[in-house]
mmCIF file of all heavy atoms in Angstrom:
data_model
loop_
_atom_site.group_PDB
_atom_site.id
_atom_site.type_symbol
_atom_site.label_atom_id
_atom_site.label_comp_id
_atom_site.label_asym_id
_atom_site.label_seq_id
_atom_site.Cartn_x
_atom_site.Cartn_y
_atom_site.Cartn_z
ATOM 1 N N GLY A 13 25.974 81.272 38.032
ATOM 2 C CA GLY A 13 25.905 80.166 37.034
ATOM 3 C C GLY A 13 26.950 80.122 36.038
ATOM 4 O O GLY A 13 26.906 79.493 34.949
ATOM 5 N N ILE A 14 28.201 80.690 36.418
ATOM 6 C CA ILE A 14 29.310 80.531 35.425
ATOM 7 C C ILE A 14 30.094 79.335 35.827
ATOM 8 O O ILE A 14 30.480 79.171 36.987
ATOM 9 C CB ILE A 14 30.244 81.722 35.377
ATOM 10 C CG1 ILE A 14 29.492 82.903 34.708
ATOM 11 C CG2 ILE A 14 31.541 81.424 34.574
ATOM 12 C CD1 ILE A 14 30.397 84.089 34.336
ATOM 13 N N ALA A 15 30.275 78.348 34.836
ATOM 14 C CA ALA A 15 31.106 77.245 35.070
ATOM 15 C C ALA A 15 32.322 77.245 34.064
ATOM 16 O O ALA A 15 33.409 76.593 34.347
ATOM 17 C CB ALA A 15 30.272 75.944 34.927
ATOM 18 N N SER A 16 32.139 77.865 32.946
ATOM 19 C CA SER A 16 33.166 77.963 31.955
ATOM 20 C C SER A 16 32.854 79.164 30.921
ATOM 21 O O SER A 16 31.843 79.745 31.093
ATOM 22 C CB SER A 16 33.272 76.661 31.132
ATOM 23 O OG SER A 16 32.225 76.694 30.211
ATOM 24 N N ARG A 18 31.977 78.758 28.090
ATOM 25 C CA ARG A 18 30.853 78.305 27.300
ATOM 26 C C ARG A 18 29.489 78.486 27.954
ATOM 27 O O ARG A 18 28.441 78.270 27.409
ATOM 28 C CB ARG A 18 31.039 76.815 26.998
ATOM 29 C CG ARG A 18 32.152 76.585 26.021
ATOM 30 C CD ARG A 18 32.251 75.079 25.814
ATOM 31 N NE ARG A 18 33.171 74.824 24.692
ATOM 32 C CZ ARG A 18 32.894 74.185 23.633
ATOM 33 N NH1 ARG A 18 31.708 73.738 23.365
ATOM 34 N NH2 ARG A 18 33.827 73.978 22.642
ATOM 35 N N SER A 19 29.489 78.791 29.243
ATOM 36 C CA SER A 19 28.231 79.002 29.963
ATOM 37 C C SER A 19 27.393 80.108 29.464
ATOM 38 O O SER A 19 27.947 81.110 29.014
ATOM 39 C CB SER A 19 28.559 79.314 31.458
ATOM 40 O OG SER A 19 29.221 78.264 32.109
ATOM 41 N N ILE A 20 26.090 79.850 29.503
ATOM 42 C CA ILE A 20 25.168 80.886 29.101
ATOM 43 C C ILE A 20 25.436 82.225 29.922
ATOM 44 O O ILE A 20 25.354 83.270 29.460
ATOM 45 C CB ILE A 20 23.702 80.420 29.190
ATOM 46 C CG1 ILE A 20 23.500 79.376 28.066
ATOM 47 C CG2 ILE A 20 22.709 81.567 28.987
ATOM 48 C CD1 ILE A 20 22.162 78.680 28.151
ATOM 49 N N ALA A 21 25.664 81.902 31.243
ATOM 50 C CA ALA A 21 25.934 83.091 32.167
ATOM 51 C C ALA A 21 27.071 83.923 31.648
ATOM 52 O O ALA A 21 27.210 85.133 31.999
ATOM 53 C CB ALA A 21 26.072 82.567 33.611
ATOM 54 N N GLN A 40 30.034 78.034 42.214
ATOM 55 C CA GLN A 40 29.313 76.880 43.016
ATOM 56 C C GLN A 40 30.248 76.318 44.040
ATOM 57 O O GLN A 40 29.760 75.945 45.178
ATOM 58 C CB GLN A 40 28.770 75.864 42.074
ATOM 59 C CG GLN A 40 28.046 74.737 42.775
ATOM 60 C CD GLN A 40 27.636 73.660 41.829
ATOM 61 O OE1 GLN A 40 27.864 73.739 40.651
ATOM 62 N NE2 GLN A 40 27.173 72.547 42.378
ATOM 63 N N LEU A 44 35.537 75.380 40.916
ATOM 64 C CA LEU A 44 35.224 76.463 39.783
ATOM 65 C C LEU A 44 35.723 77.876 40.182
ATOM 66 O O LEU A 44 35.755 78.781 39.334
ATOM 67 C CB LEU A 44 33.670 76.572 39.630
ATOM 68 C CG LEU A 44 32.966 75.334 39.034
ATOM 69 C CD1 LEU A 44 31.495 75.442 39.025
ATOM 70 C CD2 LEU A 44 33.463 75.066 37.661
ATOM 71 N N CYS A 63 28.716 80.431 46.329
ATOM 72 C CA CYS A 63 27.306 80.181 46.617
ATOM 73 C C CYS A 63 26.875 78.927 46.056
ATOM 74 O O CYS A 63 26.860 78.683 44.786
ATOM 75 C CB CYS A 63 26.466 81.318 45.972
ATOM 76 S SG CYS A 63 24.706 81.215 46.323
ATOM 77 N N ASP A 64 26.557 77.982 46.859
ATOM 78 C CA ASP A 64 25.991 76.667 46.435
ATOM 79 C C ASP A 64 24.524 76.711 46.854
ATOM 80 O O ASP A 64 24.286 76.541 48.114
ATOM 81 C CB ASP A 64 26.746 75.424 47.065
ATOM 82 C CG ASP A 64 26.201 74.077 46.627
ATOM 83 O OD1 ASP A 64 25.024 74.116 46.161
ATOM 84 O OD2 ASP A 64 26.977 73.179 46.791
ATOM 85 N N VAL A 65 23.593 76.824 45.911
ATOM 86 C CA VAL A 65 22.239 76.996 46.294
ATOM 87 C C VAL A 65 21.647 75.781 46.938
ATOM 88 O O VAL A 65 20.506 75.872 47.565
ATOM 89 C CB VAL A 65 21.349 77.468 45.104
ATOM 90 C CG1 VAL A 65 21.894 78.737 44.426
ATOM 91 C CG2 VAL A 65 21.276 76.316 43.967
ATOM 92 N N SER A 66 22.271 74.687 46.915
ATOM 93 C CA SER A 66 21.741 73.422 47.546
ATOM 94 C C SER A 66 22.082 73.467 49.137
ATOM 95 O O SER A 66 21.616 72.593 49.786
ATOM 96 C CB SER A 66 22.221 72.210 46.905
ATOM 97 O OG SER A 66 23.667 72.016 47.201
ATOM 98 N N SER A 91 21.263 81.573 36.348
ATOM 99 C CA SER A 91 21.547 80.814 35.233
ATOM 100 C C SER A 91 22.071 79.387 35.636
ATOM 101 O O SER A 91 23.217 79.051 35.443
ATOM 102 C CB SER A 91 22.474 81.509 34.234
ATOM 103 O OG SER A 91 22.768 80.734 33.071
ATOM 104 N N LEU A 92 21.282 78.649 36.433
ATOM 105 C CA LEU A 92 21.806 77.431 37.028
ATOM 106 C C LEU A 92 20.672 76.428 37.152
ATOM 107 O O LEU A 92 19.539 76.774 37.229
ATOM 108 C CB LEU A 92 22.423 77.608 38.365
ATOM 109 C CG LEU A 92 21.552 78.261 39.384
ATOM 110 C CD1 LEU A 92 20.885 77.276 40.316
ATOM 111 C CD2 LEU A 92 22.488 79.252 40.247
ATOM 112 N N ALA A 93 21.070 75.203 37.036
ATOM 113 C CA ALA A 93 20.138 74.056 37.076
ATOM 114 C C ALA A 93 20.847 72.779 37.376
ATOM 115 O O ALA A 93 22.084 72.665 37.093
ATOM 116 C CB ALA A 93 19.312 73.898 35.775
ATOM 117 N N PHE A 94 20.230 71.765 37.849
ATOM 118 C CA PHE A 94 20.814 70.487 38.069
ATOM 119 C C PHE A 94 19.777 69.364 38.231
ATOM 120 O O PHE A 94 18.796 69.566 38.779
ATOM 121 C CB PHE A 94 21.704 70.450 39.389
ATOM 122 C CG PHE A 94 22.363 69.139 39.630
ATOM 123 C CD1 PHE A 94 23.489 68.798 38.975
ATOM 124 C CD2 PHE A 94 21.711 68.236 40.488
ATOM 125 C CE1 PHE A 94 24.069 67.538 39.247
ATOM 126 C CE2 PHE A 94 22.282 66.959 40.631
ATOM 127 C CZ PHE A 94 23.449 66.630 40.045
ATOM 128 N N ILE A 119 17.079 72.756 43.312
ATOM 129 C CA ILE A 119 18.290 73.520 42.680
ATOM 130 C C ILE A 119 17.843 74.409 41.482
ATOM 131 O O ILE A 119 18.288 75.570 41.393
ATOM 132 C CB ILE A 119 19.367 72.624 42.290
ATOM 133 C CG1 ILE A 119 20.066 71.902 43.572
ATOM 134 C CG2 ILE A 119 20.499 73.352 41.531
ATOM 135 C CD1 ILE A 119 21.135 70.943 43.381
ATOM 136 N N LEU A 145 16.828 81.243 33.374
ATOM 137 C CA LEU A 145 17.022 80.480 32.089
ATOM 138 C C LEU A 145 16.137 79.243 32.020
ATOM 139 O O LEU A 145 16.251 78.432 32.933
ATOM 140 C CB LEU A 145 18.482 80.116 31.859
ATOM 141 C CG LEU A 145 19.372 81.065 31.219
ATOM 142 C CD1 LEU A 145 18.955 81.387 29.698
ATOM 143 C CD2 LEU A 145 19.565 82.327 31.911
ATOM 144 N N SER A 146 15.363 79.145 31.006
ATOM 145 C CA SER A 146 14.476 77.913 30.843
ATOM 146 C C SER A 146 14.825 77.254 29.539
ATOM 147 O O SER A 146 15.647 77.606 28.732
ATOM 148 C CB SER A 146 12.928 78.311 30.973
ATOM 149 O OG SER A 146 12.219 77.170 31.147
ATOM 150 N N TYR A 147 13.961 76.226 29.372
ATOM 151 C CA TYR A 147 14.043 75.367 28.036
ATOM 152 C C TYR A 147 12.694 74.897 27.641
ATOM 153 O O TYR A 147 11.840 74.744 28.438
ATOM 154 C CB TYR A 147 15.058 74.266 28.152
ATOM 155 C CG TYR A 147 15.235 73.427 26.965
ATOM 156 C CD1 TYR A 147 15.718 73.966 25.790
ATOM 157 C CD2 TYR A 147 14.891 72.041 26.980
ATOM 158 C CE1 TYR A 147 15.780 73.212 24.694
ATOM 159 C CE2 TYR A 147 14.916 71.272 25.853
ATOM 160 C CZ TYR A 147 15.315 71.935 24.654
ATOM 161 O OH TYR A 147 15.460 71.149 23.516
ATOM 162 N N TYR A 157 14.972 64.701 28.374
ATOM 163 C CA TYR A 157 15.029 65.834 29.283
ATOM 164 C C TYR A 157 14.342 65.577 30.585
ATOM 165 O O TYR A 157 14.576 66.085 31.682
ATOM 166 C CB TYR A 157 14.383 67.060 28.556
ATOM 167 C CG TYR A 157 14.869 68.394 29.048
ATOM 168 C CD1 TYR A 157 16.227 68.693 29.103
ATOM 169 C CD2 TYR A 157 13.937 69.264 29.591
ATOM 170 C CE1 TYR A 157 16.643 69.910 29.637
ATOM 171 C CE2 TYR A 157 14.419 70.569 30.081
ATOM 172 C CZ TYR A 157 15.701 70.845 30.102
ATOM 173 O OH TYR A 157 16.124 72.050 30.548
ATOM 174 N N MET A 160 14.004 67.221 34.223
ATOM 175 C CA MET A 160 14.393 68.655 34.110
ATOM 176 C C MET A 160 13.342 69.491 33.464
ATOM 177 O O MET A 160 13.197 70.667 33.763
ATOM 178 C CB MET A 160 15.755 68.652 33.348
ATOM 179 C CG MET A 160 16.378 70.120 33.327
ATOM 180 S SD MET A 160 16.617 70.846 34.959
ATOM 181 C CE MET A 160 18.155 70.226 35.391
ATOM 182 N N LYS A 164 11.718 72.690 35.022
ATOM 183 C CA LYS A 164 11.705 73.999 34.149
ATOM 184 C C LYS A 164 10.194 74.497 34.140
ATOM 185 O O LYS A 164 10.005 75.769 34.153
ATOM 186 C CB LYS A 164 12.163 73.787 32.782
ATOM 187 C CG LYS A 164 13.754 73.544 32.682
ATOM 188 C CD LYS A 164 14.599 74.761 33.254
ATOM 189 C CE LYS A 164 15.979 74.687 32.948
ATOM 190 N NZ LYS A 164 16.850 75.635 33.710
ATOM 191 N N ALA A 190 16.069 79.353 26.143
ATOM 192 C CA ALA A 190 17.118 79.307 25.158
ATOM 193 C C ALA A 190 17.035 77.981 24.348
ATOM 194 O O ALA A 190 16.673 76.915 24.868
ATOM 195 C CB ALA A 190 18.486 79.366 25.759
ATOM 196 N N GLY A 191 17.458 78.071 23.073
ATOM 197 C CA GLY A 191 17.561 76.779 22.292
ATOM 198 C C GLY A 191 18.783 76.078 22.743
ATOM 199 O O GLY A 191 19.514 76.555 23.646
ATOM 200 N N PRO A 192 18.968 74.799 22.343
ATOM 201 C CA PRO A 192 20.119 74.079 22.901
ATOM 202 C C PRO A 192 21.403 74.665 22.593
ATOM 203 O O PRO A 192 21.591 75.114 21.443
ATOM 204 C CB PRO A 192 19.939 72.652 22.232
ATOM 205 C CG PRO A 192 19.007 72.888 21.046
ATOM 206 C CD PRO A 192 18.162 74.066 21.364
ATOM 207 N N ILE A 193 22.304 74.708 23.514
ATOM 208 C CA ILE A 193 23.622 75.233 23.385
ATOM 209 C C ILE A 193 24.674 74.267 23.992
ATOM 210 O O ILE A 193 24.369 73.862 25.105
ATOM 211 C CB ILE A 193 23.853 76.687 23.990
ATOM 212 C CG1 ILE A 193 22.767 77.694 23.420
ATOM 213 C CG2 ILE A 193 25.187 77.181 23.871
ATOM 214 C CD1 ILE A 193 22.724 78.973 24.121
ATOM 215 N N LYS A 194 25.788 73.995 23.435
ATOM 216 C CA LYS A 194 26.745 73.027 24.056
ATOM 217 C C LYS A 194 27.457 73.776 25.132
ATOM 218 O O LYS A 194 28.347 74.495 24.986
ATOM 219 C CB LYS A 194 27.770 72.623 22.881
ATOM 220 C CG LYS A 194 28.369 71.286 23.159
ATOM 221 C CD LYS A 194 29.109 70.762 22.038
ATOM 222 C CE LYS A 194 29.984 69.598 22.420
ATOM 223 N NZ LYS A 194 31.401 69.782 22.053
ATOM 224 N N THR A 195 27.069 73.274 26.383
ATOM 225 C CA THR A 195 27.655 73.745 27.572
ATOM 226 C C THR A 195 27.969 72.567 28.482
ATOM 227 O O THR A 195 27.578 71.414 28.144
ATOM 228 C CB THR A 195 26.740 74.716 28.385
ATOM 229 O OG1 THR A 195 25.598 73.958 28.726
ATOM 230 C CG2 THR A 195 26.365 75.966 27.576
ATOM 231 N N LEU A 196 28.566 72.785 29.701
ATOM 232 C CA LEU A 196 28.817 71.603 30.528
ATOM 233 C C LEU A 196 27.489 71.023 30.951
ATOM 234 O O LEU A 196 27.435 69.731 30.976
ATOM 235 C CB LEU A 196 29.637 72.196 31.771
ATOM 236 C CG LEU A 196 31.129 72.503 31.526
ATOM 237 C CD1 LEU A 196 31.699 73.121 32.747
ATOM 238 C CD2 LEU A 196 31.894 71.313 31.027
ATOM 239 N N ALA A 197 26.565 71.797 31.394
ATOM 240 C CA ALA A 197 25.245 71.223 31.829
ATOM 241 C C ALA A 197 24.683 70.418 30.707
ATOM 242 O O ALA A 197 24.074 69.352 30.874
ATOM 243 C CB ALA A 197 24.346 72.375 32.229
ATOM 244 N N ALA A 198 24.705 70.956 29.442
ATOM 245 C CA ALA A 198 24.109 70.330 28.312
ATOM 246 C C ALA A 198 24.711 68.937 28.044
ATOM 247 O O ALA A 198 23.996 67.936 27.609
ATOM 248 C CB ALA A 198 24.119 71.168 27.033
ATOM 249 N N PHE A 204 22.456 64.901 23.224
ATOM 250 C CA PHE A 204 22.341 66.335 23.048
ATOM 251 C C PHE A 204 22.641 66.789 21.666
ATOM 252 O O PHE A 204 22.103 67.675 21.099
ATOM 253 C CB PHE A 204 23.336 67.043 24.020
ATOM 254 C CG PHE A 204 23.089 68.452 23.985
ATOM 255 C CD1 PHE A 204 21.960 69.057 24.610
ATOM 256 C CD2 PHE A 204 23.982 69.330 23.482
ATOM 257 C CE1 PHE A 204 21.715 70.466 24.640
ATOM 258 C CE2 PHE A 204 23.778 70.702 23.459
ATOM 259 C CZ PHE A 204 22.665 71.251 24.069
HETATM 260 N N1 NAD B 1 22.745 74.661 27.362
HETATM 261 C C1 NAD B 1 21.485 74.586 26.961
HETATM 262 O O1 NAD B 1 21.247 73.931 25.965
HETATM 263 C C2 NAD B 1 20.382 75.310 27.724
HETATM 264 C C3 NAD B 1 19.187 75.541 27.075
HETATM 265 C C4 NAD B 1 18.178 76.208 27.720
HETATM 266 C C5 NAD B 1 18.346 76.532 29.099
HETATM 267 N N2 NAD B 1 19.564 76.221 29.745
HETATM 268 C C6 NAD B 1 19.707 76.567 31.097
HETATM 269 O O2 NAD B 1 20.713 77.606 31.154
HETATM 270 C C7 NAD B 1 21.226 77.571 32.556
HETATM 271 C C8 NAD B 1 22.708 77.581 32.505
HETATM 272 O O3 NAD B 1 23.232 76.330 32.062
HETATM 273 P P1 NAD B 1 24.413 76.312 30.976
HETATM 274 O O4 NAD B 1 23.869 75.523 29.752
HETATM 275 O O5 NAD B 1 25.045 77.607 30.818
HETATM 276 O O6 NAD B 1 25.426 75.258 31.630
HETATM 277 P P2 NAD B 1 26.668 75.418 32.585
HETATM 278 O O7 NAD B 1 27.087 74.039 33.010
HETATM 279 O O8 NAD B 1 27.645 76.287 31.934
HETATM 280 O O9 NAD B 1 25.996 76.263 33.771
HETATM 281 C C9 NAD B 1 25.265 75.588 34.768
HETATM 282 C C10 NAD B 1 25.678 76.245 36.117
HETATM 283 O O10 NAD B 1 24.808 75.828 37.123
HETATM 284 C C11 NAD B 1 25.573 75.889 38.346
HETATM 285 N N3 NAD B 1 25.076 75.061 39.398
HETATM 286 C C12 NAD B 1 24.567 73.763 39.381
HETATM 287 N N4 NAD B 1 24.171 73.425 40.639
HETATM 288 C C13 NAD B 1 24.432 74.477 41.432
HETATM 289 C C14 NAD B 1 24.235 74.702 42.810
HETATM 290 N N5 NAD B 1 23.832 73.800 43.679
HETATM 291 N N6 NAD B 1 24.585 75.918 43.313
HETATM 292 C C15 NAD B 1 25.052 76.936 42.499
HETATM 293 N N7 NAD B 1 25.096 76.817 41.188
HETATM 294 C C16 NAD B 1 24.839 75.507 40.676
HETATM 295 C C17 NAD B 1 26.891 75.341 37.913
HETATM 296 O O11 NAD B 1 27.932 75.661 38.791
HETATM 297 C C18 NAD B 1 27.067 75.985 36.546
HETATM 298 O O12 NAD B 1 27.814 77.287 36.712
HETATM 299 C C19 NAD B 1 20.624 76.373 33.257
HETATM 300 O O13 NAD B 1 19.395 76.799 33.927
HETATM 301 C C20 NAD B 1 20.165 75.581 32.008
HETATM 302 O O14 NAD B 1 19.042 74.620 32.333
HETATM 303 C C21 NAD B 1 20.592 75.624 29.083
#
Side-chain angles (χ1 to χ4, degrees):
I14 292 190
S16 77
R18 289 176 170 242
S19 293
I20 291 174
Q40 182 191 351
L44 295 174
C63 182
D64 179 339
V65 301
S66 69
S91 182
L92 58 94
F94 178 82
I119 294 177
L145 271 299
S146 191
Y147 178 61
Y157 203 59
M160 187 53 86
K164 289 298 192 194
I193 300 174
K194 204 165 165 239
T195 62
L196 290 172
F204 187 75

